[in-house]
Amino acid sequence: MALKTLALINILVVGCVVPMVQGQLLGLLGLLRIQGTLYCTANGNIGVNGTTTPVFPNALVQLQCGGNVVSTATTNRSGIFSILLDPLNFVLSTLLSGCKLVVNTPLASCNTNLPSIGSLQSTLQFIGNALFGLLNVGNIIPSGFQFNANLN
Ligand SMILES: *[C@@H]1O[C@H](CO)[C@@H](O)[C@H](O)[C@H]1NC(C)=O
Ligand SMILES: *[C@@H]1O[C@H](CO)[C@@H](O)[C@H](O)[C@H]1NC(C)=O
């Protein structure tokens, strides 16, 4: 009898605790991901020819916040870069309001007809969360690059 009661209490307790633990894990197993594609065009954005626009590989993409470089990534052969951030260290609203992407690798390195000085810059845009199993990823993309004649 006592054993049965204990078993019942166990079931009740486990039933309540598991959803709470899952909720906490979701909060802990979170990531912010800044991802985008850099194109080999005068402004770094996709051109009129869409997906046939040449990409900008091996470009160093800096995440700058308040003028400091806080993270970097290099574009791969597909022109794609990805910066992963721990949400415990970065607040989303601060990222969107106080940080930007800066590319100082000259555009001439992907096309000699493009400028050999200057930088590409973009602010950031949040596009939503996605769940990968228990991992909650907040997806951030560049709002759109612009060419700046100065290095930054
Ligand atoms: C777009 O594609 C056409 C046809 O291939 C080409 O002539 C043109 O130069 C391309 N434009 C740009 C901006 O790449
Ligand atoms: C570039 O990176 C993206 C995202 O990580 C990946 O999906 C893609 O396969 C990579 N391309 C190359 C050529 O490595």
Side-chain angles (χ1 to χ4, degrees), residues 18-43:
V18 166
M20 263 169 50
V21 169
Q22 273 177 356
Q24 283 168 352
L25 279 178
L26 284 183
L28 284 177
L29 296 180
L31 273 183
L32 291 169
R33 180 176 66 183
I34 304 173
Q35 188 165 299
T37 306
L38 204 58
Y39 291 91
C40 189
T41 58
N43 62 11

Side-chain angles (χ1 to χ4, degrees), residues 69-89:
V69 178
V70 297
S71 190
T72 60
T74 304
T75 58
N76 69 12
R77 279 187 297 126
S78 311
I80 297 173
F81 64 91
S82 198
I83 296 175
L84 297 176
L85 302 171
D86 186 340
L88 295 176
N89 297 333

Side-chain angles (χ1 to χ4, degrees), residues 29-66:
L29 296 180
L31 273 183
L32 291 169
R33 180 176 66 183
I34 304 173
Q35 188 165 299
T37 306
L38 204 58
Y39 291 91
C40 189
T41 58
N43 62 11
N45 298 307
I46 194 163
V48 288
N49 286 338
T51 50
T52 62
T53 308
V55 297
F56 188 174
N58 299 315
L60 185 69
V61 181
Q62 300 178 336
L63 175 66
Q64 292 189 6
C65 300

Side-chain angles (χ1 to χ4, degrees), residues 17 27 31 41 65 79 86 90 102 106 108 124 132 134 136 145 151-152:
V17 166
L31 273 183
T41 58
C65 300
D86 186 340
F90 289 89
V102 176
L124 300 169
F132 297 93
L134 281 178
N136 186 11
F145 283 96
L151 284 182
N152 273 276

Side-chain angles (χ1 to χ4, degrees), residues 121-140:
Q121 295 190 24
S122 174
T123 55
L124 300 169
Q125 185 184 350
F126 178 69
I127 56 165
N129 285 294
L131 270 185
F132 297 93
L134 281 178
L135 190 63
N136 186 11
V137 178
N139 284 306
I140 300 167

